[in-house]
């Protein structure tokens, strides 16, 4: 059968798998807000606690718990209440069978039609988007989507010990991709995106007031122009891969 020509207009469940608290908010919070407003149930799966981040002398043993709470608050700002953390080490995420199994487990639990994650490809024009953890999580998630989560014989303990049946994800949205081919107009929900971003106090409070919105807003305006949206609109862009 021919592949779909675009993403599904609506899905019942979506899963966002990102490396650090705040990753989903910088690149995708506006898009998530449009999904929840349309009735999609969205779950966040954050691979690390972000304990290697921050800009002050907060003790490292406190940073992870702080960032978990910040991510929960940011999620609430865009209508997400299910936030899960895998607890892998920040800055040291590796493509392992354990990580693939952990992500596959969440896919089988949530049973999403759509998965959003980071691109495994480096974006040379914006190197900050291509943190090694981001690319590793993107690749691990794609491998969890295909073949792991859909194959009942992959990680058989998920079925035998946890009762988690295989699940096939229909489409994956890759953020910060050099191949972005789909833009979401988030102009009307941008205040929710700002609220989500500003929830990450440990990561953004060192910036002068308004600087974050100015920087991210300019980036979203450029994304909108690149993808042919009318002047003055704001957009987030993704490479949509059909995986069903």
């Amino acid at each position: 059968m021919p592949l779909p020509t675009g993403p599904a207009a609506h899905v019942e469940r979506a899963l966002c798998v990102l490396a650090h608290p705040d990753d989903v908010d910088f690149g995708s919070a506006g898009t998530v807000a449009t999904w929840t407003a349309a009735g999609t149930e969205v779950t966040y799966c954050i691979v690390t606690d972000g304990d290697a981040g921050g800009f002050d002398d907060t003790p490292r043993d406190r940073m992870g718990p702080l960032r978990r709470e910040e991510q929960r608050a940011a999620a609430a700002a865009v209508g997400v209440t299910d936030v899960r953390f895998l607890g892998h080490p920040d800055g040291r995420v590796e493509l392992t069978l354990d990580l693939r199994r952990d992500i596959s487990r969440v896919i089988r639990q949530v049973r999403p039609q759509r998965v959003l994650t980071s691109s495994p490809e480096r974006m040379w024009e914006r190197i900050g988007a291509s943190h090694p953890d981001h690319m590793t999580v993107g690749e691990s998630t794609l491998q969890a989507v295909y073949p792991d989560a859909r194959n009942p014989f992959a990680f058989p303990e998920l079925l035998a010990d946890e009762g988690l049946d295989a699940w096939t994800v229909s489409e994956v949205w890759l953020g910060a991709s050099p191949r972005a081919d789909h833009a979401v107009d988030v102009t009307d929900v941008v205040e929710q995106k700002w609220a989500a971003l500003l929830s990450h106090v440990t990561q953004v409070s060192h910036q002068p007031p308004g600087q974050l919105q100015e920087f991210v807003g300019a980036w979203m305006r450029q994304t909108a122009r690149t993808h042919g949206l009318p002047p003055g609109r704001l957009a987030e862009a993704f490479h949509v891969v059909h995986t069903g």
Side-chain angles (χ1 to χ4, degrees):
M1 294 181 63
L3 290 174
T5 58
H10 173 75
V11 297
E12 294 176 353
R13 296 175 304 279
L15 171 65
C16 302
V17 185
L18 285 304
H20 313 110
D22 80 16
D23 288 347
V24 65
D25 299 303
F26 272 99
S28 313
T31 296
V32 171
T34 68
W35 293 349
T36 59
T40 297
E41 183 178 343
V42 179
T43 298
Y44 286 175
C45 175
I46 311 299
V47 171
T48 81
D49 291 349
D51 53 283
F55 295 91
D56 58 24
D57 57 359
T58 300
R60 290 299 98 184
D61 63 343
R62 289 183 53 206
M63 183 58 73
L66 281 172
R67 296 200 69 186
R68 284 185 180 227
E69 290 308 309
E70 290 173 352
Q71 183 61 86
R72 292 187 182 100
V78 294
V80 176
T81 58
D82 187 356
V83 183
R84 310 180 187 195
F85 298 90
L86 298 184
H88 287 255
D90 185 8
R92 295 174 286 156
V93 179
E94 297 182 353
L95 178 51
T96 64
L97 290 174
D98 284 347
L99 179 55
R100 284 169 56 179
R101 183 198 60 233
D102 290 349
I103 297 171
S104 296
R105 175 185 289 109
V106 178
I107 290 172
R108 292 189 186 192
Q109 290 170 338
V110 174
R111 302 174 77 80
Q113 293 88 11
R114 175 181 294 156
V115 166
L116 183 153
T117 189
S118 46
S119 174
E121 297 183 83
R122 191 177 301 279
M123 181 179 282
W124 295 106
E125 297 82 2
R126 187 158 55 86
I127 197 70
S130 300
H131 188 291
D133 285 357
H134 297 178
M135 294 190 294
T136 300
V137 167
E139 181 61 35
S140 300
T141 301
L142 284 167
Q143 293 189 27
V145 166
Y146 177 79
D148 300 336
R150 71 181 64 189
N151 181 358
F153 307 109
F155 304 117
E157 65 273 21
L158 294 180
L159 178 57
D161 300 340
E162 303 179 40
L164 297 173
D165 289 326
W167 177 259
T168 298
V169 174
S170 298
E171 59 187 44
V172 176
W173 290 35
L174 300 172
S177 172
R179 305 168 186 261
D181 57 6
H182 178 69
V184 178
D185 188 330
V186 299
T187 312
D188 296 338
V189 294
V190 73
E191 292 304 323
Q192 289 176 264
K193 181 181 176 83
W194 300 148
L197 281 171
L198 292 173
S199 297
H200 297 283
V201 176
T202 61
Q203 309 306 298
V204 304
S205 61
H206 65 290
Q207 300 183 37
Q211 182 173 308
L212 178 68
Q213 292 93 322
E214 180 179 349
F215 170 74
V216 178
W219 165 27
M220 291 195 295
R221 283 190 292 274
Q222 178 59 48
T223 298
R225 287 193 295 270
T226 299
H227 289 271
L229 274 67
R233 305 305 289 181
L234 304 169
E236 296 169 343
F238 307 88
H239 179 200
V240 178
V241 181
H242 298 285
T243 55

